[in-house]
Amino acid sequence: MINNTNQDEMLVKAFFDEHTHEIADHGFTKRVMRHLPDRSRRLNRIWTVICTVLGIVFFIAVRGWAVIADALSVCFRTIAAQEVFHLSPLTIALSVLLLTMVAAYQLVSRELNYN
């Protein structure tokens, strides 16, 4: 049975390979396709906005800023108590800021290249 199905598919493919003709449209089809809205891109952006809004609402609902402040406070106190790293809080803050800026740049450049 499987062999018959494969043979049928091969016959259909051979038939269409022989009887398919390209119609010269001088690039008309490509131009039309470029101007059609890309449904997947639109859905992707809508989904991103929905998830971002839900994330912000959740962050506010669980008082995320307090959790982050407590975690950073513990990190800074631990680093100061251990004296493992001789980094000032300013150095750490600048490092976090730099990493955030690099991530934002990557996201923006990826979006610009996607369009």
Side-chain angles (χ1 to χ4, degrees):
M1 182 76 179
I2 294 175
N3 192 19
N4 262 352
T5 304
N6 288 340
Q7 186 177 10
D8 290 344
E9 287 178 14
M10 289 173 47
L11 287 171
V12 169
K13 183 180 181 324
F15 174 80
F16 281 111
D17 286 345
E18 291 176 16
H19 295 91
T20 300
H21 301 288
E22 291 293 323
I23 299 173
D25 63 357
H26 306 292
F28 174 76
T29 304
K30 288 182 182 179
R31 287 192 307 270
V32 168
M33 293 303 288
R34 266 187 281 155
H35 291 316
L36 291 176
D38 187 5
R39 184 172 187 264
S40 63
R41 185 183 309 163
R42 186 179 53 214
L43 289 176
N44 184 14
R45 287 187 177 165
I46 290 170
W47 182 247
T48 301
V49 168
I50 290 171
C51 289
T52 302
V53 169
L54 288 175
I56 291 169
V57 167
F58 181 75
F59 185 79
I60 291 170
V62 298
R63 295 184 52 198
W65 61 89
V67 174
I68 291 174
D70 289 344
L72 288 175
S73 173
V74 168
C75 286
F76 288 141
R77 281 187 276 135
T78 304
I79 289 172
Q82 296 295 324
E83 294 187 29
V84 175
F85 301 107
H86 297 289
L87 299 175
S88 69
L90 178 63
T91 304
I92 295 171
L94 288 175
S95 299
V96 169
L97 177 66
L98 178 67
L99 289 174
T100 304
M101 290 173 60
V102 169
Y105 174 78
Q106 290 295 323
L107 288 173
V108 168
S109 66
R110 186 177 305 151
E111 181 66 24
L112 291 175
N113 288 338
Y114 186 70
N115 291 330

